[in-house]
Amino acid sequence: MTTITPDPVLTAAAVARLASVWKSVATAEEVGPVISCVEADTLAAVFLAVGDKDSAKAWISEHSANDPGCEGHDEGHDEEPLMSTTTVVHALTCTACGSNGVQPAVREWANCTNCNHGMSLSEAMTCGCDGYDCVPRPAAPYAPEPGEEYTYPLSDYARATARALGAGWDTESSYLGAWGLIFTTDVRVSLRLYVDGEGSTGDPMIQDRHTGDEYLVPAERLPEGAPRTKDEMHEWGKALALFVLSLGL
């Protein structure tokens, strides 16, 4: 694909020419009511780019006052633009290359400045606005299938820990594997592995069942992310076993 680098001098001249041709108040009165909100804001941005605030306000005014589908535009102050071109760019995403460099064209069409792909404006939309006042769409509810978010119950973590500790250690599972016991076969050490349901982060905890003492397992001593394979669970078991041994019980 051939990449075309815009000439800044020619671009500035073209913008100035466009503003000069479209600055007519009569044209604004005739065309303003029938163009889309995105088109009105884009024209306003062209006028602002050449310092013509009056024409920008005139186009927005004619469009807003006469388009029954328009919900209004922020006309701003003399020191501020009528629109934010940044929100336009970031409200749209190319359906071909995924770039945010998408600009509205005519009517309900948009073009990608990165790969030159054309698409309808609705296809490119990644927010809940019309491309000029970006409001993110509510995220779809997170509803993973059973076993998709967490592959193993907590009792499996306890079992992996006992295996890593070696001979003389055993485990028992609670109902549904909600927590697990880790203990020596002579019951000299008896620990409960569970998750702190009252804490702010839901950290793994180990409780000495003889004394009632509780120990938070630091996140930095654990593998990153919940295990999804036997090998990953083995690494978790080794990390938890090292923490148990560090307690000196």
Side-chain angles (χ1 to χ4, degrees):
M1 180 182 68
T2 302
T3 302
I4 300 175
T5 303
D7 184 300
V9 176
L10 293 178
T11 299
V15 171
R17 175 63 176 165
L18 179 64
S20 175
V21 170
W22 285 86
K23 67 182 296 181
S24 166
V25 174
T27 303
E29 292 175 349
E30 181 179 354
V31 181
V34 298
I35 62 176
S36 70
C37 290
V38 172
E39 291 165 349
D41 274 336
T42 302
L43 271 175
V46 170
F47 293 125
L48 289 174
V50 297
D52 188 352
K53 296 185 178 67
D54 291 338
S55 293
K57 289 184 177 181
W59 272 88
I60 291 296
S61 177
E62 292 297 332
H63 167 74
S64 301
N66 298 288
D67 179 3
C70 179
E71 297 180 356
H73 296 250
D74 180 13
E75 295 193 6
H77 304 287
D78 289 341
E79 298 81 11
E80 299 176 355
L82 296 178
M83 60 173 285
S84 168
T85 55
T86 300
T87 55
V88 172
V89 171
H90 290 287
L92 306 172
T93 301
C94 178
T95 57
C97 70
S99 167
N100 286 330
V102 176
Q103 293 291 343
V106 294
R107 303 307 298 169
E108 299 302 319
W109 196 251
N111 293 315
C112 177
T113 58
N114 182 57
C115 70
N116 297 324
H117 176 68
M119 69 216 85
S120 69
L121 194 59
S122 60
E123 290 176 325
M125 291 290 291
T126 55
C127 64
C129 71
D130 287 327
Y132 59 87
D133 186 18
C134 186
V135 179
R137 287 177 178 163
Y142 179 58
E145 293 295 324
E148 194 172 75
E149 186 172 24
Y150 296 108
T151 307
Y152 298 99
L154 203 57
S155 58
D156 282 345
Y157 292 71
R159 185 165 291 106
T161 304
R163 287 173 178 163
L165 287 166
W169 289 85
D170 204 349
T171 61
E172 284 185 10
S173 299
S174 69
Y175 181 62
L176 298 180
W179 47 266
L181 298 181
I182 309 167
F183 53 89
T184 55
T185 52
D186 61 7
V187 198
R188 181 182 59 83
V189 178
S190 181
L191 309 171
R192 182 169 74 100
L193 175 65
Y194 67 103
V195 168
D196 179 16
E198 297 180 358
S200 59
T201 58
D203 295 304
M205 303 282 294
I206 288 180
Q207 180 189 47
D208 186 332
R209 299 183 71 218
H210 293 320
T211 66
D213 293 338
E214 296 177 315
Y215 306 93
L216 171 69
V217 183
E220 60 268 19
R221 300 191 63 165
L222 298 172
E224 185 176 351
R228 296 188 176 276
T229 66
K230 291 182 179 180
D231 288 341
E232 291 177 356
M233 177 57 78
H234 179 64
E235 294 302 315
W236 267 81
K238 289 195 297 183
L240 288 168
L242 287 173
F243 180 74
V244 168
L245 293 175
S246 72
L247 299 177
L249 302 174

